[in-house]
Amino acid sequence: MTHPFLDLAPLSAAHFASIEDRVARLLRTRQDVVIMQGEALLPLEGAIRGTAGPGTTALNVITGPYGQTFGDWLRDCGATVIDLAVPFHTAVTAAQIQDAFTEHPEIDFVSLVHAEAATGNTNPVGEIGEVVRQHGALFYLDAVASIGAEPVLPDAWGVDLCVIGAQKAMGGPAGVSAVSVSERAWARMAANPQAPRRSYLSLLDWKERWIDGGRRALLHAPAQLEMLALEACVERIEADGPDTVMARHAGAAAATRAGASALGGGLEPYVHEAADAAPVATTLRAPAGTVASELVARALASDPALPLAAGGGALAKEMIRVNHYGVDATRGVVQASLAALGAALSEKGLDVDPDGARRAAEAAWR
């Protein structure tokens, strides 16, 4: 008995390399791109452990939960960590980064999340990159949630380590991820005695055994289904055009934000300024006297397929996430999500305007 997901010819090194090349074109980068065989936490952790050590002074920007995780990894590597935390309803600014360098000129590593899907904010990486370049620090960026939803330009922004995953705005698999690596970052790893070697976390293994070897022999058997799925989602983005895909996400975000504000009942955008709001997902603050997770449960009871979720941890009480990314970046999904939230609020006895929300969402889509 055959099955299309099982009876596949082995993925060749040449095919693997061609998918890396397509990802590099998506990032508009001339840096080396390594596709790693695991969810994006693999290159996120590997890149930090490869470049940070006891001699590192890191500025770790916290605009959501992933920034907190990066600080933990950096400390575990022995780095001196300076945390720059901003409220989750806003974004960090280039001026705040500059102030940190002024106060701590020894900073030689900056870690930043581009878009935080968990909190719904996005950071001005281009402006921040200019400041980081001026001070010569290594720049590490988590672009897992932003790739496909908004521009991600590691070369133009001076990013030395740019990690992406396909499972959000790209509409692809979660089981593979990629990182672009600058020459400066490779040199930092090579000089770091603590950098993982002969390890699944090791980027240096990929550099020495894959890239330096002309990409002719893979380190281990690739995750074939995930690699083919990654290739398919990149093909889809290429066919539609990256600008078209990003415009859909921007439209979904603007429509959700406008529709939620018009819906009433006390529902409002969690991120205060529209300029700080991520296109990948929109977070909403639940009305006073309600619990976000309960509202989401009521909304999903009408349609379990809606991309609605409560915030994680303590945010489950106050935050609702509308995950309008990938195939869910559509007018229909946004309108259905707003309608379901409106019905959940109405059940709580709150006064809502579903027709007004629908009209506002449609008018805001751009």
Side-chain angles (χ1 to χ4, degrees):
M1 184 175 180
T2 63
H3 194 288
F5 289 157
L6 298 178
D7 302 305
L8 298 169
L11 190 74
S12 68
H15 193 173
F16 191 103
S18 74
I19 299 172
E20 284 185 334
D21 292 341
R22 295 177 89 157
V23 172
R25 288 194 293 273
L26 181 66
L27 290 170
R28 301 182 187 179
T29 184
R30 300 171 69 91
Q31 298 177 1
D32 291 324
V33 169
V34 177
I35 295 179
M36 299 192 76
Q37 307 297 282
E39 199 271 339
L41 283 172
L42 175 62
L44 285 169
E45 183 174 357
I48 281 180
R49 295 196 181 278
T51 52
T56 302
T57 301
L59 174 63
N60 180 51
V61 182
I62 302 175
T63 58
Y66 280 100
Q68 295 169 329
T69 297
F70 300 159
D72 292 340
W73 288 340
L74 286 160
R75 289 182 177 89
D76 190 50
C77 290
T80 299
V81 181
I82 299 157
D83 286 326
L84 171 56
V86 302
F88 289 176
H89 63 257
T90 187
V92 72
T93 67
Q96 289 173 302
I97 302 296
Q98 178 59 65
D99 289 344
F101 274 107
T102 300
E103 187 174 354
H104 301 280
E106 69 275 19
I107 291 169
D108 62 359
F109 185 100
V110 175
S111 53
L112 175 71
V113 178
H114 187 185
E116 287 268 12
T119 51
N121 54 30
T122 191
N123 294 299
V125 182
E127 298 171 17
I128 291 168
E130 291 183 14
V131 176
V132 176
R133 269 199 306 271
Q134 290 170 9
H135 294 274
L138 206 72
F139 194 8
Y140 163 101
L141 183 70
D142 171 354
V144 174
S146 53
I147 184 68
E150 55 187 305
V152 176
L153 304 168
D155 290 12
W157 296 341
V159 177
D160 295 288
L161 294 155
C162 182
V163 177
I164 66 168
Q167 68 267 34
K168 288 188 168 65
M170 288 178 68
V176 289
S177 48
V179 54
S180 65
V181 187
S182 73
E183 289 300 323
R184 292 198 323 146
W186 285 131
R188 179 81 70 100
M189 285 184 224
N192 181 9
Q194 292 192 174
R197 290 169 170 81
R198 295 169 296 283
S199 163
Y200 207 59
L201 282 171
S202 177
L203 284 168
L204 279 176
D205 286 357
W206 284 96
K207 165 68 170 167
E208 296 167 358
R209 296 172 55 192
W210 171 244
I211 295 172
D212 292 349
R215 299 194 299 178
R216 290 191 293 268
L218 288 161
L219 274 65
H220 45 72
Q224 179 145 320
L225 290 175
E226 287 80 2
M227 287 296 294
L228 294 174
L230 174 62
E231 182 179 41
C233 85
V234 174
E235 285 178 350
R236 185 168 57 190
I237 292 171
E238 291 171 345
D240 291 345
D243 290 344
T244 298
V245 175
M246 288 187 285
R248 283 202 294 266
H249 286 83
T256 303
R257 190 176 178 88
S261 297
L263 183 60
L267 193 68
E268 59 184 20
Y270 191 88
V271 177
H272 293 183
E273 300 296 329
D276 296 338
V280 68
T282 298
T283 50
L284 305 170
R285 189 178 296 277
T290 67
V291 177
S293 58
E294 293 177 0
L295 291 173
V296 168
R298 286 174 177 265
L300 290 176
S302 64
D303 184 354
L306 291 174
L308 299 173
L315 293 175
K317 294 182 178 180
E318 65 181 27
M319 180 188 286
I320 297 169
R321 288 169 47 196
V322 185
N323 296 316
H324 46 64
Y325 52 70
V327 297
D328 288 325
T330 68
R331 284 178 166 85
V333 166
V334 169
Q335 293 287 13
S337 297
L338 291 170
L341 289 172
L345 291 168
S346 181
E347 288 180 25
K348 285 286 189 181
L350 297 170
D351 186 19
V352 294
D353 182 5
D355 289 337
R358 178 182 53 78
R359 290 191 299 269
E362 190 61 32
W365 193 286
R366 58 182 188 273

